[in-house]
Each structure stands twice: as C-alpha cells, then as structure tokens.
Amino acid sequence: IGFKGISVTGGGDLFVEDTTRHGNSFINFRRDYGAKWEGRIRLDGCTLKPTGNGTVSVLSHRMADFDYKYPIGFARSVMVNDMLIDYSAAPESTAPCWMMDIVPFSKTETGARLFFPNLIEFQHIRVSGRKKGIRLLRIPNPHYYDLRRQGGYDGSRLQANCTLIVDDVQLEKMVPKYPNDINQVHFLIGGEAAVEYVDQMSLFPEIRYTDCDDVSVYMGNCIASVFFDRCSINTVTAPDLRGELVFRNCRFQPNVQKMKGEFYTLDSTLGTRFTNCTVHAPIVTGTANPELVNRTGFVEINRSVRHYHINTALGNRIVNHYRSQGMKLNPDFIAMLKLHHGLED
C-alpha cells in the first residue's frame, strides 16, 4: 500500500494481515470524522516502511478537541503482533517511531469523554534499517477516559479495567537528560500534578512488560499495577503511584546524561517487589559509576535495602569496585539482599 495508505474511521473489526505499507503511518484515523474506531483492531505480520525522516506511527488517532456529535476514541481493543518497521528507505531518520500516536486529552472542551481500549497488546515488534527502536504511547490524562467497564482503587486493591501488554518489543535505546526526564520515555501515564479520577469508568490499567530491553517509563500521580518480567530497566519514575510495581528477573542499569536526585522513584501504595533482580553500575555521560549504586533509591551499600526483595544481586562491576576499595559487604546487608520485607523499611 503506497502513497495514500490506509485512512479510515468508523467501527467493527479492522483486521490487517501480511500487509506492507510505504509511508510514515500504517493506519491513519481520519481527523475530520473524529479519528475514531469503535471496535477491534488487529495487525498481524505487517510491515511499515517509512519513506521520510519525520515522526512515524503505527496507529495515529489525532482527533480535534471538537464536538463531533458522537462518541470518539481509540478502539475497544488493539492487538499488534509480529510487525516490522523497515527504515531501509529512510535510514538517516532519527525521529521517534510510536506504536500509538494519540491526542493528550481524554475529554473534550464540551465535556465528552473519549473511549479507551480495554486491551492493548504489542508483541514481537522489530525495527530494521536504523539503530533506534520504538516508543509506545503517552497517556497524560487517564482520569477522564470512558472504558465502559468498571475499575477502581480503594487503597487496598486495584481492580483493572484495561490490560496493556508489551512483549518482546524492540524499544528505542534512550539516554535521558536526567532520571526523571519525561520526554525521553517509551511510555508515560499521568503527570506531575495530582488530578482526581472522575469515576470507576476512568482508566485503571494493569501493565505488563516482558522481554524488553532499556525500558524507560514515567507514571506520575496515577493509578496502575505494573509488572516487569525479564526486562532491562533504564529509568522508572513513579511519583505518588497508587498501585504496585513488580520486577521479576530484571536487570537495573540507569543510563543518563546527568545525575539529578535518585535514579529511580519506586514508592507505591500497594508495594514494590523485586525477585531475582540484578543491580548494575549506573552509567552517567557514558561512563559506568559503581559508587552511584547508592543513588538508585532502593539499595545503599552496607546500609539499607528498601521495598520487598528476594535474591537481589549486585553486578560484578559494583562488587569488584568495593573489593578494590577494601570494603567488604557485611552479612546483615547481604541478608537484606537475599530477603527483605517492605515493612522493615
């Protein structure tokens, strides 16, 4: 599919298989009709071949803040599987590539709430023809969406009404300016200011990352349960997160341009848990700094471990650094890495 590409709006089942699109957007949802899709979206085995150096998007929903006189939003479910973004026609491109490019508002000026998928699934996504990988999406205002399914958070449990799955996606390798740089993240939900959720139909997601490298995410003043399995973690900034953070078999190594505060902001109301994770020497301006492990926000050598831990390990560069300084890891600290309960903080 060439110059005009796929430009649609409406509803029902939008299933696209084994299709190659030449252009910077695989599917563009027509702005003049509200850029909506009222139904299911499935892309399987497809290829997007960008033809220019501008921003690329797999799904583009750029509706206006306007009263279209009917509901607008981003589909009921979205599943993208086994997709290739092939930059062979634009190898010099450095612009971002987004899985979903959506507007930042979740309700219009007239008060109409946008609908949002109950399921978003990105699996086995690859990039060729350039080194930079993929970004996911940004959801700065989860508070006003209409999921048409109840969710909620009562301070003890979170009932999700949306599942977001990111499995084996070749993410863009980022080097943020500093750890809480909200512009250099693959995924963003919420923001710096606290906003009340309007009701149980708002967005209460469960988010699962599996087999992804160099993950950078921002989750500020929002409600979410977030799970990371077999991922390498660059930055996670989650100020005032209502929900939980769970890391299993993950590798932590922040890589930023400048040091500012702590590398990770991981406090969560329902608990932050680490199982079989490894902490590596942080990288600042391209140089590994083992001594900066004390700025991770959850490990301080021979002093403290924060949150819940089972079998947390230190990378060899950190261990060798302290050995070269003549410092031994004391048994109490090692015991905390092996097993630590969040109530002991």
Side-chain angles (χ1 to χ4, degrees):
I1 298 176
F3 176 69
K4 292 186 178 180
I6 304 173
S7 184
V8 296
T9 192
D13 289 340
L14 177 56
F15 294 174
V16 185
E17 298 180 356
D18 302 322
T19 298
T20 298
R21 153 77 166 130
H22 297 265
N24 280 29
S25 181
F26 193 83
I27 298 180
N28 175 58
F29 294 90
R30 292 184 55 173
R31 180 183 176 92
D32 52 344
Y33 288 98
K36 73 161 190 169
W37 191 261
E38 180 73 74
R40 299 185 296 170
I41 298 173
R42 303 285 187 275
L43 308 182
D44 192 5
C46 294
T47 299
L48 175 60
K49 291 190 172 184
T51 53
N53 291 332
T55 297
V56 170
S57 59
V58 175
L59 302 173
S60 179
H61 296 265
R62 303 299 298 182
M63 58 276 288
D65 189 350
F66 173 77
D67 184 4
Y68 288 94
K69 305 299 183 182
Y70 47 74
I72 57 174
F74 312 126
R76 292 302 169 198
S77 64
V78 175
M79 299 179 70
V80 182
N81 180 57
D82 188 24
M83 188 165 199
L84 175 66
I85 315 297
D86 179 0
Y87 276 89
S88 57
E92 302 303 317
S93 173
T94 59
C97 173
W98 293 95
M99 290 301 300
M100 291 181 68
D101 178 22
I102 65 175
V103 292
F105 57 88
S106 54
K107 71 173 180 178
T108 65
E109 288 186 353
T110 61
R113 297 166 65 178
L114 278 63
F115 58 81
F116 194 89
N118 298 119
L119 171 66
I120 299 176
E121 187 173 293
F122 304 136
Q123 290 188 305
H124 312 306
I125 314 296
R126 290 290 176 268
V127 175
S128 67
R130 76 168 191 177
K131 292 183 178 180
K132 293 185 72 170
I134 290 167
R135 301 187 187 191
L136 302 170
L137 72 160
R138 297 174 71 89
I139 311 171
N141 289 289
H143 325 90
Y144 304 112
Y145 285 116
D146 182 1
L147 275 288
R148 300 183 184 176
R149 178 184 298 174
Q150 287 192 355
Y153 169 75
D154 62 6
S156 296
R157 296 186 62 184
L158 188 153
Q159 178 184 345
N161 56 9
C162 170
T163 302
L164 172 58
I165 297 170
V166 183
D167 179 10
D168 186 29
V169 174
Q170 184 181 337
L171 298 175
E172 177 183 340
K173 188 174 180 62
M174 295 179 173
V175 184
K177 290 182 180 179
Y178 37 82
N180 60 345
D181 181 357
I182 64 173
N183 295 312
Q184 292 293 306
V185 291
H186 303 105
F187 175 78
L188 176 146
I189 182 170
E192 296 178 350
V195 179
E196 288 298 318
Y197 284 67
V198 293
D199 58 29
Q200 291 179 306
M201 299 298 180
S202 300
L203 175 57
F204 300 95
E206 178 178 301
I207 305 168
R208 307 175 195 163
Y209 298 90
T210 306
D211 294 325
C212 294
D213 287 331
D214 303 304
V215 178
S216 287
V217 296
Y218 179 88
M219 301 169 289
N221 291 284
C222 65
I223 300 174
S225 290
V226 191
F227 300 83
F228 301 84
D229 286 278
R230 300 187 303 276
C231 294
S232 63
I233 310 295
N234 185 357
T235 61
V236 176
T237 304
D240 297 310
L241 176 68
R242 286 165 284 173
E244 61 186 325
L245 290 168
V246 178
F247 302 93
R248 295 178 289 228
N249 301 295
C250 290
R251 303 168 304 284
F252 287 79
Q253 186 168 40
N255 183 3
V256 298
Q257 297 176 36
K258 297 179 181 179
M259 187 58 221
K260 181 180 177 182
E262 295 180 336
F263 287 108
Y264 299 104
T265 304
L266 302 179
D267 287 352
S268 62
T269 56
L270 300 183
T272 299
R273 296 169 173 82
F274 303 81
T275 303
N276 297 330
C277 293
T278 302
V279 183
H280 293 278
I283 298 173
V284 180
T285 61
T287 301
N289 295 267
E291 69 281 2
L292 290 180
V293 66
N294 291 335
R295 302 282 291 277
T296 57
F298 60 90
V299 171
E300 191 171 358
I301 298 298
N302 280 347
R303 291 189 177 182
S304 65
V305 171
R306 296 191 63 232
H307 310 301
Y308 297 83
H309 289 259
I310 298 176
N311 292 333
T312 296
L314 301 176
N316 288 343
R317 184 165 286 182
I318 294 173
V319 173
N320 292 336
H321 168 76
Y322 284 101
R323 282 177 178 168
S324 70
Q325 300 294 312
M327 180 186 294
K328 293 184 64 175
L329 300 181
N330 67 51
D332 289 342
F333 176 69
I334 294 173
M336 287 190 288
L337 292 175
K338 187 186 302 183
L339 182 63
H340 181 74
H341 198 284
L343 295 179
E344 297 176 282
D345 290 351

